[in-house]
Amino acid sequence: MVFVPECHSTNTLLLELSQMTNPPEGTIVITNSQTRGRGQRGNGWEAEPGKNLTFSLLLKPHFMSAQQQFDLTIAISLGVFDFLSARIPERVKIKWPNDLLIGEKKITGILIENGLAGEQIQQSIVGIGLNVNQFSFSKDTATSLKLETGLDFDNNDELNSLVEKLEGRYLQLRAGKRLELLSTYLKNLYRVGEEHSFLVNGQQIQGRIEGIDESGRLKIHTNGIDRFFGLKEISFIHE
Ligand code: BTN
């Protein structure tokens, strides 16, 4: 484990480290404060220094092909889901592809960056931002363990227990249990099977999430047909 008091982004730092020293699978880079935390879709990641978990985990899932990349997203999302459900029972949802929500509010963001070698995944940098003890946010769409439970948490204890849950799901994936993982993911997916509005190319559509395809695209039943969307093609409308 590598701790740095401050860095731009633990994902970037771990990527640089992996290029220089070839560290083993399981290596973690963790910081108290990111000055340029990165999120999905080119967004940033804001977290009050010292109050939250911001770290990146190195995986080497050589057993997976590039086409199966989304299975790793599923396994990691479920690892975080397991961790959160043990603290906030019944209220955790996974918002496709890999945000963790409590009710309508985001508590954890995940940024997985895969390095491919031909058809194989050479390495995966799994970046996780989990809101722990922060209790005020600039966005009212964010929450934390502290806000949801009223309790204070020890970041180190929480990290250990989260890593244990991630390992459990990763081992399940490595053991070939991808269908079990998929069905648990779908069971806990935010807004699955419900009629909602989405934004597609600036236009509002109405539809129902029915699942995902092998590449992880979201399957939505709309106007009598099934349509599939990638991350950059669709966003949720918060009604
Ligand atoms: C998202 O929800 O958009 C993903 C956010 C991911 C944030 C984490 S914090 C640790 C790691 N380092 C980064 O720069 N990003 C990820």
Side-chain angles (χ1 to χ4, degrees):
M1 176 140 91
V2 179
F3 169 77
V4 288
E6 186 176 280
C7 66
H8 286 161
S9 151
T10 56
N11 266 37
T12 311
L13 186 56
L14 182 52
L15 179 65
E16 289 166 0
L17 199 70
S18 74
Q19 286 161 349
M20 289 184 310
T21 65
N22 190 25
E25 179 163 60
T27 299
I28 288 176
V29 169
I30 183 161
T31 190
N32 274 340
S33 171
Q34 290 187 130
T35 51
R36 249 182 272 157
R38 296 191 287 111
Q40 290 186 89
R41 307 173 195 241
N43 291 327
W45 182 255
E46 307 279 335
E48 207 179 312
K51 295 228 159 132
N52 304 296
L53 285 178
T54 42
F55 70 97
S56 303
L57 165 68
L58 182 67
L59 294 177
K60 302 191 178 184
H62 296 159
F63 56 91
M64 288 174 73
S65 71
Q67 290 105 296
Q68 298 168 316
Q69 286 181 57
F70 199 78
D71 289 345
L72 186 63
T73 296
I74 292 178
I76 297 299
S77 305
L78 283 175
V80 182
F81 175 87
D82 295 340
F83 167 87
L84 291 170
S85 301
R87 284 150 187 78
I88 309 167
E90 316 281 333
R91 297 182 50 220
V92 189
K93 288 280 169 200
I94 303 168
K95 182 177 163 197
W96 176 88
N98 55 9
D99 285 348
L100 275 295
L101 304 187
I102 307 297
E104 295 281 324
K105 296 193 178 192
K106 182 157 163 176
I107 191 164
T108 303
I110 302 173
L111 179 65
I112 301 180
E113 297 181 296
N114 292 326
L116 307 179
E119 278 305 290
Q120 293 307 116
I121 303 183
Q122 192 61 24
Q123 66 168 29
S124 268
I125 293 184
V126 177
I128 297 186
L130 190 146
N131 298 334
V132 183
N133 289 315
Q134 185 168 341
F135 55 85
S136 92
F137 291 91
S138 56
K139 297 179 191 150
D140 67 356
T141 50
T143 192
S144 65
L145 286 178
K146 162 100 179 162
L147 276 180
E148 295 300 325
T149 63
L151 303 171
D152 284 305
F153 293 85
D154 179 282
N155 274 348
N156 282 332
D157 292 348
E158 298 314 297
L159 174 69
N160 288 337
S161 130
L162 174 55
V163 168
E164 227 168 74
K165 299 290 189 196
L166 292 172
E167 185 179 13
R169 292 297 184 176
Y170 185 62
L171 293 177
Q172 200 180 359
L173 178 64
R174 205 166 70 181
K177 304 275 193 286
R178 55 176 303 276
L179 289 179
E180 275 174 53
L181 288 164
L182 176 64
S183 86
T184 314
Y185 176 88
L186 292 178
K187 203 171 76 198
N188 295 294
L189 201 59
Y190 173 70
R191 292 190 172 173
V192 73
E194 301 167 8
E195 202 66 24
H196 283 286
S197 301
F198 301 87
L199 208 55
V200 174
N201 299 324
Q203 289 205 312
Q204 193 163 330
I205 65 157
Q206 190 81 18
R208 198 171 62 234
I209 297 177
E210 298 222 313
I212 56 171
D213 69 8
E214 298 87 70
S215 60
R217 290 185 309 165
L218 192 64
K219 176 179 172 188
I220 295 192
H221 191 76
T222 173
N223 279 334
I225 56 160
D226 289 336
R227 293 178 67 187
F228 294 86
F229 300 97
L231 183 60
K232 295 193 178 119
E233 296 160 351
I234 188 164
S235 54
F236 288 67
I237 293 179
H238 289 274
E239 296 121 1

